[in-house]
Amino acid sequence: MSTLGKITRRTFVIGSAAITGGVLFGVYKYKQPYPNPLEKDLAQGDTALTPYVLINANGVTIISPRAEMGQGVKTTLAALVAEELDVDVQNVKIEHGVPSNAYYNAAVLEEGVPFPPQDTSSTAQMARDFMHVPAKFFGVQVTGGSSSTVDAFEKMRMAGATAREALLLAASAKLNVAKNALSTDNGEVISKDGQRIAYTELASLAASVELPNDVKLKPKSEWKQIGRPIPRVDMVEKCTGTATFGIDVLQKDMLYATIKVNPHLGAKCHAFDANNAAKMKGVKAILPLADVGAAVVATNTWYAFKAAEKIDFDWAKTEYAQTTDELFESAIAAFNEEHQDSQNRNDGDVDAITGAAGDTTIHREYRAPLLAHATMEPMNATAIIKDGQLDVWVGTQMPTYALSEAARVSGIEAQNIRIHTTYLGGGFGRRLEMDFIIYAVMVAKQLEGKPVKVTWSREEDMTHDSYRPFAVARFKGVTQGKNISALDVQVSSPSVMESQMGRLGVSLPGPDSTIVQALWDQAYTIENYRVTGYRVPMGIPVSSWRSVGASQNGFFNESMIDELAIEANADPIEMRLSLITHQPTRNVLETVAKMANWGRDVPENHGLGVALVTSFGVPVAEIVEVVNTPRGIKIVNVYVAADVGIAIDSRNIEAQLISAVNFGLAGAMMGEITLLDGKVQQTNFHNYDAIRMHQAPVIHTKILENGERIRGIGEPGTPPAAPALANAIYAATGLRMREMPFNKHIQFV
C-alpha cells in the first residue's frame, strides 16, 4: 500500500482563522500532531497546523522546507504544491519557513533498511514504511540523502490539492452553486457562466469549510507543471547577485568575527596569548570559544582574519592516527571479526568456490582517501542575542538541530529563538554539521546586544571539516567462462553515522549501512556473493559527503567487476548484463551503451570505461571516454543514463547529473586530504584542487522513468564517475587505478 493510500482528510487540517488577512493550509499527521510552527504568529484562539500554503491579500505563498543549495529543490517542491493548487509556480512567493518537527523528512531513513532497492516485495516495502516511524519520532527537518522529492512527492501535492478543494467549497458556498459546477485555473475559481474569483478573495471563507473525507490528486495526464522543465524561481536573483546567502547577511551595527580552533580535530586548547592580535587595527575583542579555541571580533572580516593569525595557541593533541599512513593502517587492522559491522549479503558458498579455485582466485585491494566538502561559500553564521531573544541567520541542512543547538549553547528557550535559513553556497553534507552555528552563538552570547557575523577563513574551513571517510576494500573473485562464479567483498571504514550522529548527541544502535552502501545492494545476481563491512574505531571526524558510502564503494566495486571482465576476456557491459535481472537497471545500462555507441572502433589512444552503480535507489550507468595524450589523460565525453522513476523536471535532473559527474571526477582525479602530525595538510584550493573548466568533459544525459517509484537525484550521479574513469584509463593505457586520487599515478591534462 502506498503512502498515498494512507493520506485522508484527517491528515489535513486547515487553519481556521486568518493570518494577516489570509488562511493557512497544511498537511499533518492528525493523531500525532507536532506543534504548528506558525502558531505563535496567529491571533489568540486561531488554529493552524503544519502549513505549506499561505493565501492572503498579497497572493499565494508556498512553504518549501528543504535547504536550497543549488539543487533546485526550492522550485521543485513548490511546483508539487502549485500543480495541485492550480497556480503557476512562477506566480507565487516561496519561503523556506521556520524550523519545525512538522517538516520532518520521512524518507531519509529508508536507505537504511536491509533490503536492496530492487526488492519491491511487500516485506521490503513494509520495512521502508516502518522507517517513517523513527523519522517521525526524531522529527528531523533535514535536506540530504536525495530524499527531498521522495518525501514530498505525495504529501506536498496533497497539501496543494487540499487547499484547492477548500477554495472550491468556499466558492460553491459564496455563489450558491454545486462544487462540481466550478473549476480552477491559475489562482482563480471559475463558474460555468464565466465568473472568476481569485483565491485571495476566497481564503478567509475557505478557512471555515468542512472538507470531504478524501481529496484526490490529479492523474498524471492532467499535470501542467510536473514533468516539464520549470525555470528556477531563484534564477534571476542568483544571476544578478541579489540572492542572500549566509555570507551576505547584513545587520545594523554588525560586528565581524572569525575563529581559530584546535587543528588537532577534537582536542582541547590549553591556552592562548592574544596580546599581539588585540593591538591590531579594527580588533574589538578576543573571545574564548569554550575550551577549543578563540574568536577574533573586529570591524570587518579581513581585520579579524589577520589578527587571528597573530594569536599564539597551546594546542592539545589527539590520540588517534597522526598520519595518513596510520589512518590506512587502522583500516587494515579492522579487517577482523571483532570489528565486523555487517554482512548484509551472503549468498551461496563463497569460501567453497574460492577455495576450489585456489591460485586462480583473483585478489584485489582498493583505497579511498579522506575528502573535504570544500563548499564555495565557507562556513559562516550571523547571530544576535538581545532582550532574551536569539536570532541566527545561517545556511543549514538541518534547521531543527540548528534550533536545538542554539538553545543548548545560549541557554535561551527554543520558543525565543528564530533560525533564518538562507541559501547555501554549497552543502554536499557539510552543512549537516552544527559547529559553525555553535561558534556563532558562543560569540553572540559574549557580545549581547550586538549582531555578529562569524566567518571562517578558507584555511580554517578546509582544515576543520568532518571528512568523507578513508576506506580500504578487499576483493576475492572467481570467474567461470565469461561470468563471475564467486565474489567476496570486504570493506573497512570509519562509521559516518557513529561520528556524525555522535556529535549531535545521538547514539544509533546496530550496523552502519553507509559502510557497505553500494556494495551489498547492487543489482548483480552472483551465485556465490558475500559482502562484509568492518568498522574502524572512531578517530578523525567523518561525515556525509555527496553520495556518502557509495562515493568510495562504487569505485571499489565497479573497478573489480571491470577487472574480472578483463580477466574473463568478456565485454564489460555484456558481463554486467548477464548478472542483472532487474529490468529498469538493465535498461539504464543498455541505454548508456547505445548513447556511447559501445563496441565501436575507437581512435588510437582512446579508451572507454563503463560503471553502473545504484545508490539511493537510482541506477545510474556512466561511460567515460578518455584520450591518452603526450601531456596526460584528457576526459573527452561522459555518457550518463539514470532512472528516477518519475521525472518532475528533466532539465533540473540533467543539471544535477552534470554536477554530480564533475564532482565525482574531481574527487577521483585529484581529491585527497592527508594527515601529518595529527593535522590536515591541505589548506585551500591551491593544494585541494577541483576540476577546472578546461578539464570538464562534454556530458550527455538520458533520463529514464521505468523505476518502481520516484527517486531523488542529487547524489546518485556521483558514484559511477570514478570507476568509469578508472576503467577508461585502463582501456586507453593498460594502467589500472586502484587508489584515489588517480593523479598520484597518472597525469591529467
Side-chain angles (χ1 to χ4, degrees), residues 121-131:
S121 66
S122 58
T123 303
Q125 190 52 47
M126 188 181 301
R128 295 183 186 107
D129 287 345
F130 178 76
M131 296 306 285

Side-chain angles (χ1 to χ4, degrees), residues 643-659:
D643 194 325
V644 295
I646 298 172
I648 294 178
D649 180 347
S650 58
R651 188 161 58 189
N652 191 49
I653 294 171
E654 180 182 32
Q656 286 296 289
L657 288 172
I658 291 172
S659 162

Side-chain angles (χ1 to χ4, degrees), residues 573-748:
I573 287 185
E574 290 300 323
M575 174 181 270
R576 285 173 170 84
L577 286 172
S578 72
L579 299 171
I580 299 170
T581 58
H582 184 246
Q583 193 58 48
T585 305
R586 290 181 61 87
N587 292 344
V588 162
L589 191 54
E590 290 168 342
T591 298
V592 82
K594 291 178 183 175
M595 293 170 66
N597 193 16
W598 182 266
R600 61 185 158 95
D601 291 330
V602 296
E604 187 178 0
N605 294 322
H606 280 239
L608 295 175
V610 64
L612 168 69
V613 180
T614 296
S615 62
F616 304 95
V618 181
V620 181
E622 297 178 9
I623 292 177
V624 170
E625 181 176 3
V626 302
V627 55
N628 186 21
T629 77
R631 295 189 297 120
I633 293 292
K634 170 71 176 174
I635 306 173
V636 182
N637 289 296
V638 179
Y639 304 88
V640 187
D643 194 325
V644 295
I646 298 172
I648 294 178
D649 180 347
S650 58
R651 188 161 58 189
N652 191 49
I653 294 171
E654 180 182 32
Q656 286 296 289
L657 288 172
I658 291 172
S659 162
V661 167
N662 282 315
F663 198 82
L665 290 177
M669 293 162 64
M670 60 195 74
E672 183 180 32
I673 289 294
T674 56
L675 208 61
L676 183 65
D677 190 29
K679 297 183 288 186
V680 168
Q681 292 182 282
Q682 289 70 30
T683 55
N684 208 321
F685 288 115
H686 72 285
N687 54 10
Y688 188 81
D689 209 351
I691 194 168
R692 304 303 175 98
M693 291 293 285
H694 72 276
Q695 296 175 305
V698 178
I699 300 174
H700 315 262
T701 64
K702 180 73 173 179
I703 299 158
L704 306 181
E705 297 181 83
N706 301 313
E708 294 84 3
R709 56 182 301 203
I710 190 169
R711 296 291 190 173
I713 196 61
E715 312 191 56
T718 297
L725 175 59
N727 297 339
I729 291 172
Y730 178 81
T733 68
L735 184 62
R736 177 60 66 179
M737 300 290 110
R738 298 194 182 99
E739 178 187 29
M740 295 192 284
F742 300 159
N743 67 358
K744 294 171 73 172
H745 307 283
I746 200 164
Q747 186 73 29
F748 287 93

Side-chain angles (χ1 to χ4, degrees), residues 371-524:
L371 289 180
H373 296 85
T375 60
M376 192 55 66
E377 179 195 20
M379 297 300 105
N380 68 85
T382 300
I384 179 173
I385 294 177
K386 187 176 182 180
D387 300 329
Q389 306 278 325
L390 168 61
D391 283 87
V392 181
W393 293 263
V394 64
T396 174
Q397 293 176 246
M398 290 212 295
T400 46
Y401 265 107
L403 178 63
S404 60
E405 285 299 288
R408 181 183 64 81
V409 174
S410 68
I412 295 174
E413 297 289 337
Q415 62 264 27
N416 295 320
I417 299 174
R418 289 179 291 270
I419 303 292
H420 309 268
T421 303
T422 66
Y423 287 127
L424 283 62
F428 318 121
R430 178 61 179 91
R431 287 184 163 90
L432 292 167
E433 300 292 330
M434 294 291 117
D435 47 2
F436 56 104
I437 300 169
I438 290 171
Y439 296 148
V441 174
M442 283 182 175
V443 175
K445 191 175 180 181
Q446 298 177 75
L447 297 170
E448 188 160 348
K450 281 285 187 183
V452 58
K453 179 192 292 183
V454 181
T455 306
W456 296 27
S457 67
R458 177 65 65 191
E459 291 76 12
E460 193 75 8
D461 191 330
M462 194 74 79
T463 56
H464 291 78
D465 201 346
S466 296
Y467 301 93
R468 196 280 300 273
F470 58 94
V472 176
R474 289 174 168 175
F475 289 81
K476 289 189 291 185
V478 178
T479 61
Q480 185 174 32
K482 292 192 176 184
N483 215 323
I484 302 172
S485 58
L487 185 62
D488 186 31
V489 187
Q490 298 182 326
V491 63
S492 175
S493 167
S495 165
V496 165
M497 290 296 104
E498 180 183 356
S499 182
Q500 190 170 4
M501 299 309 292
R503 289 188 290 278
L504 296 173
V506 177
S507 177
L508 293 181
D512 180 357
S513 63
T514 69
I515 293 177
V516 292
Q517 184 183 11
L519 287 174
W520 73 276
D521 52 354
Q522 299 305 284
Y524 298 129

Side-chain angles (χ1 to χ4, degrees), residues 14-158:
I14 292 182
S16 63
I19 299 175
T20 59
V23 62
L24 288 168
F25 299 92
V27 55
Y28 199 68
K29 197 76 172 176
Y30 179 72
K31 293 183 178 179
Q32 298 172 300
Y34 277 114
N36 173 10
L38 296 182
E39 195 171 45
K40 66 180 181 180
D41 293 327
L42 296 173
Q44 188 174 6
D46 294 345
T47 302
L49 300 174
T50 316
Y52 283 86
V53 180
L54 166 67
I55 302 175
N56 59 26
N58 297 320
V60 176
T61 298
I62 294 176
I63 304 300
S64 184
R66 298 289 176 257
E68 175 56 67
M69 44 191 164
Q71 81 280 41
V73 73
K74 180 177 182 179
T75 303
T76 303
L77 296 194
L80 297 176
V81 178
E83 177 69 68
E84 296 291 339
L85 186 58
D86 217 357
V87 295
D88 188 334
V89 73
Q90 303 297 326
N91 296 332
V92 302
K93 183 180 180 182
I94 304 171
E95 295 181 351
H96 180 278
V98 298
S100 173
N101 300 133
Y103 297 129
Y104 76 97
N105 188 332
V108 73
L109 297 182
E110 288 186 12
E111 190 72 8
V113 301
F115 296 91
Q118 304 82 20
D119 187 344
T120 57
S121 66
S122 58
T123 303
Q125 190 52 47
M126 188 181 301
R128 295 183 186 107
D129 287 345
F130 178 76
M131 296 306 285
H132 295 191
V133 176
K136 176 76 182 290
F137 176 76
F138 288 124
V140 178
Q141 183 183 352
V142 55
T143 306
S146 291
S147 60
S148 293
T149 53
V150 180
D151 173 69
F153 185 62
E154 292 179 354
K155 71 183 181 185
M156 289 193 68
R157 282 191 298 144
M158 189 59 82

